[in-house]
Amino acid sequence: MSKVFAMTGGATGIGAALKETLRARGDQVIVVDLKDADIDADLSTEEGRTKAISGIKQLAPQGLDGFVACAGLPPVAQPLSLITRVNYFGATVLIEALVDLVAMKKGAIVVVSSNSTTLPGLNEEHIETLLSGDEDKACALVETLDGHNAYAGSKNALTRWMRRNAPTFMEKGARMNAVAPGMTITPMTNRVLADENYGPAMRDFSKTIPYGEMASPDMIADSMLFLLDPASRFVCGSVLFVDGGQDALLRADAF
Ligand code: NAD
């Protein structure tokens, strides 16, 4: 039987790969993105988030089999507070508003983290401020930091938020997990590789992937399909690294 999913960031990259696979097998996918979506909305704004939430509720009154928070901005985005607004609050605010819709169908929620969350040098005060839910304070603080902190910090906080909330959501009937992709060939990655500050370091980082090359978007989408499927019904609060072995290489003993 065909299922109903909603997702953010489905216009390009990893989200587009997931959307195309789900639609190809006959599922309905409600996409929220800046443009070329079922609901065009800017998740950096309160107005855009409200539009996305009410649009999804209207299009899926019987509930959701799954919700995926995939929209994100890279470390080179400016101002840095835009990363905070989209990557962290654009995900958590929507999930909080939609968890009951997912619970109605005993569905699954997937947040998109990153294997960069385990890299050193993250500002703990920034992460704690994000987790406190104070958007204005987090946006002011992030402007005193760098792109790595803005990006990896937002994903670290999002992952911790996922783990803090997964047990309660599970009790309601909505299962939540995170996928932590490594470097994947998408418009976002191309933008970072082209950046004169971040490009060289990213290129060097990509050479350490044990798999030998960066992922294609469908490699990440395939693991998200697993987290959305009842095949993973006992998987809850987990962070699935899909990074060709890079996190294991860098942190074998941390799990
Ligand atoms: P992408 O740029 O192709 O896709 C990101 C999507 O988010 C785009 O469709 C974009 O329009 C949308 N988006 C951006 N700002 C938005 C806003 N304000 N409102 C609504 N939508 C907005 O990049 P991608 O690489 O496919 O990234 C998808 C997710 O995967 C992101 O959360 C990213 O952080 C994460 N990720 C990517 C990589 C990688 O190497 N590409 C690695 C780890 C994690």
Side-chain angles (χ1 to χ4, degrees):
M1 211 172 79
S2 103
K3 294 184 172 180
V4 183
F5 296 94
M7 65 183 300
T8 68
T12 63
I14 293 168
L18 179 67
K19 168 190 74 179
E20 279 153 24
T21 305
L22 290 170
R23 284 187 180 163
R25 70 183 198 189
D27 294 330
Q28 183 190 344
V29 187
I30 303 160
V31 174
V32 176
D33 209 305
L34 284 171
K35 57 184 173 63
D36 304 327
D38 301 287
I39 303 164
D40 289 352
D42 181 352
L43 296 174
S44 71
T45 66
E46 214 176 294
E47 188 193 8
R49 292 172 202 153
T50 304
K51 183 181 177 194
I53 292 161
S54 59
I56 291 170
K57 285 185 174 171
Q58 215 170 0
L59 290 170
Q62 311 297 333
L64 291 168
D65 293 284
F67 177 73
V68 180
C70 191
L73 287 170
V76 297
Q78 285 292 339
L80 294 179
S81 56
L82 209 49
I83 302 172
T84 306
R85 293 191 191 283
V86 176
N87 293 16
Y88 185 80
F89 292 100
T92 56
V93 170
L94 261 67
I95 293 169
E96 270 166 4
L98 296 171
V99 62
D100 289 340
L101 210 58
V102 177
M104 276 167 71
K105 294 185 90 175
K106 301 262 179 272
I109 297 167
V110 177
V111 307
V112 181
S113 178
S114 164
N115 75 346
S116 67
T117 60
T118 58
L119 293 174
L122 294 188
N123 181 296
E124 187 60 27
E125 187 191 350
H126 172 229
I127 293 168
E128 286 298 339
T129 307
L130 287 165
L131 284 163
S132 78
D134 189 335
E135 186 165 355
D136 289 342
K137 194 173 167 198
C139 286
L141 181 56
V142 80
E143 294 298 346
T144 68
L145 304 173
D146 57 15
H148 169 61
N149 260 288
Y151 179 78
S154 73
K155 296 292 187 177
N156 184 298
L158 178 61
T159 309
R160 289 197 210 172
W161 179 90
M162 180 283 292
R163 284 183 57 78
R164 288 182 185 188
N165 285 285
T168 321
F169 287 5
M170 186 75 264
E171 282 162 13
K172 285 178 185 252
R175 193 165 57 81
M176 183 160 66
N177 291 284
V179 64
M183 288 183 73
T184 309
I185 305 161
T186 68
M188 174 186 288
T189 299
N190 291 337
R191 191 173 160 196
V192 181
L193 288 172
D195 184 84
E196 62 179 28
N197 292 321
Y198 284 89
M202 283 286 278
R203 219 161 266 121
D204 286 347
F205 192 50
S206 73
K207 289 180 191 142
T208 70
I209 303 171
Y211 185 83
E213 57 188 59
M214 290 191 272
S216 56
D218 61 294
M219 288 173 165
I220 312 300
D222 281 350
S223 57
M224 292 157 88
L225 286 173
F226 168 69
L227 292 176
L228 288 171
D229 194 87
S232 63
R233 60 198 174 279
F234 207 54
V235 182
C236 176
S238 287
V239 185
L240 178 57
F241 283 85
V242 187
D243 68 349
Q246 208 167 24
D247 186 65
L249 175 76
L250 297 172
R251 307 185 312 136
D253 297 329
F255 61 91

